[in-house]
Amino acid sequence: MTTFDVVVRGGTVATAADRFTADVAVADGRIAALGHDLAGAEVIDATGKLVLPGGVDGHCHIEQRSAAGVMNADGFESATASAARGGTTTVIPFAAQPPGASLAEAAADYHARAARGAIVDYALHLILADPRPEVLTNELPPLVEAGHASLKIFLTYDIRLDDERALAVFAAARRHNLMVCVHAENHAMIAWLRERLVARGHGDARYHATSHPRHGEAEAVHRAIALARLVDQPLMIFHVSCTEALAEIRRARAAGVKLFAETCTHYLTLTRDALARDDGRGAEWICSPPLREAHDVEALWRALEDGTLATVSSDHAPYAADATGKYGAGPAPAFTDVPNGLPGLAFRLPLLFDAMVRRRGLRLEDFVRLTASEPARVYNLHDRKGSIAIGKDADLAIWDPTRRVTLAHALAGDGAGYTPFEGLEVQGWPVQVLRRGETVVQDGEVTAAPGSGRFLPRRGGEAAEPSGRPVAEMDAGRNFGAKLL
Ligand code: URP
Ligand code: ZN
Ligand code: ZN
C-alpha cells in the first residue's frame, strides 16, 4: 500500500462542481489521490470538517503606494501571512509602474520583494501607468515571456489613461494574450465634485461617497468595454460597486462581449453608513469606488447569483489607522487627503462563507467557485490552483463550519492595525491551512517561512483570448477589406 506524504482524512471535500467524503492524499506538494483509508506519513483528521481548495485572491495591493504616494501598511510577509490565516493560499497583487518609469524595473522590484517575503504563492498584475510605445514594444514582451499574463489600467487617479492610451494597451494585450483589469470610474466627475464639496465645507469622510457618483462608475465601465470591444480584447472589470455599473456589464454580456467582473467583500457586507459614523473614524472606510447603499449590496448579491459577477476579491489596500496612513493629514482629515483602500485579505473567505453558505442560500460549491476556482480560471492558474483534483497543488483550507468567530484585527494580523469588519460575527473558520501540502497555518499560528511562497509564471490562457467576434469596422469581411487586427 502506498504511503503518501500527507493524508487529510475523512473530511467533506468541496469543489466548484461537487462535494463528497474522501481522504485527500498529497505527494510532492500535489494532490496524488482521493479515496478512502489512504495511508500517510502525516495524517490530519478532518472528520466533521470541510476540506476546501485554498482561496485565490485575484486583486490585492501589497507594498504598494497609494495614488498620493502613501505606502501600504503591509509588506509581502504580513499581507500573505494574513491571507493564509484566512484560508487564502494564492494571491495576485500588483507590480506598479510609476508614470515615466520603466515597467520592467517595477516588475523586477516587486518580484524581488515578493520572493523575499511571500508566504503564499503569487502571480503579479502589471499596472501600466505609462504605456508609452517603447514600454509596450520593448518592455512588455520579455515580461510576458517571464510569465506575466495580466495588466491593470486606471481610468481615474493621477495614473489614469485617456481613451487613446487605453486603446493602445488593449491592442498590446490582444497581441500578447493578456487579461486587462480596469479600475473604471469617471475621473472628471470625481475631480469636479471633490473641488465643489471641499469648497462648500463638505470635507467629512461621508462626502467621499458623494464625490464618486454611481453613474460615473457606470460611464467608465461602459467606456472601458466599448474601447476593449473595438479590438476584441477581454476585460476584467475590477471592484464593481453599484447597480448602474452592473447594468452596463449585463448589457455588454448579453450582446456577446467577452467580459468578466468582480466585486469585493466590503461591497457585499458594508454600506456608506460606515463613512458617516459619529466616532470620527469614517476615514478608515474610505475606498474607491466607495461603499454604496443597501440596495447596491442586494444588487451585487443578485449579480453573484445570476453570473454577472465572476469572482469576489478583497482589494486589500491597507493603510494604518494612524499618521502613517489614513490620518497622515491629521486626526480629522478631509476625505481628499485620505489614502483610499481597506484591508481585507484575511477575512474575505470567512465573511463570504458565512454570508453565502449560511445566510444567503448559495451553495458551498458556489462559494468555492467564486472565491477560488473561477479566479484561478480567469487568471489562468487553474492547472495548479483553485480546486481539489489529482495533479493540482495541495492547497487546502480545512474548515470548521460550526466555529463562531467575532472578527477582530488581532485575528487578521495584517499591518493595518484595524479591520473594517471589527465585531462582525461569522460562522465557519479555517482551522488548518496547507500550501503545497505543507501546513502553513494551524489554529491561527503561521508556521511557514517568509519567502517560501512561489511565483506562478503563467500565460493569459483561454479567458484572455479574443472572442473571435470582431465589431463590423474591425472585420475585414465587413469593412471593405481593411485588415486592422
Ligand atoms: O480604494 C482602493 N480600491 N484602493 C486601492 C487601489 C484601487 O483603486 O484598487
Ligand atoms: Zn482599483
Ligand atoms: Zn485595487
Side-chain angles (χ1 to χ4, degrees), residues 444-470:
E445 190 76 24
V446 177
T447 52
S452 58
R454 287 190 191 151
F455 177 61
L456 300 164
R458 63 200 165 103
R459 301 280 171 223
E462 192 281 324
E465 275 167 20
S467 72
R469 296 183 297 275

Side-chain angles (χ1 to χ4, degrees), residues 235-246:
L235 278 191
M236 162 58 85
I237 306 290
F238 268 170
H239 43 46
V240 175
S241 74
C242 64
T243 321
E244 290 79 355
L246 285 171

Side-chain angles (χ1 to χ4, degrees), residues 117 144 358 454:
V144 174
R358 195 169 71 84
R454 287 190 191 151

Side-chain angles (χ1 to χ4, degrees), residues 152 154 183 239:
K152 181 180 183 187
F154 288 84
H183 180 130
H239 43 46

Side-chain angles (χ1 to χ4, degrees), residues 324-339:
T324 66
K326 290 285 186 184
Y327 300 108
F335 71 87
T336 47
D337 295 329
V338 176

Side-chain angles (χ1 to χ4, degrees), residues 246 249-250 253 259-261 302-310:
L246 285 171
I249 293 160
R250 280 204 180 93
R253 283 167 58 90
L259 177 62
F260 305 90
R302 282 197 298 280
L304 285 173
E305 283 162 18
D306 71 15
T308 305
L309 294 171

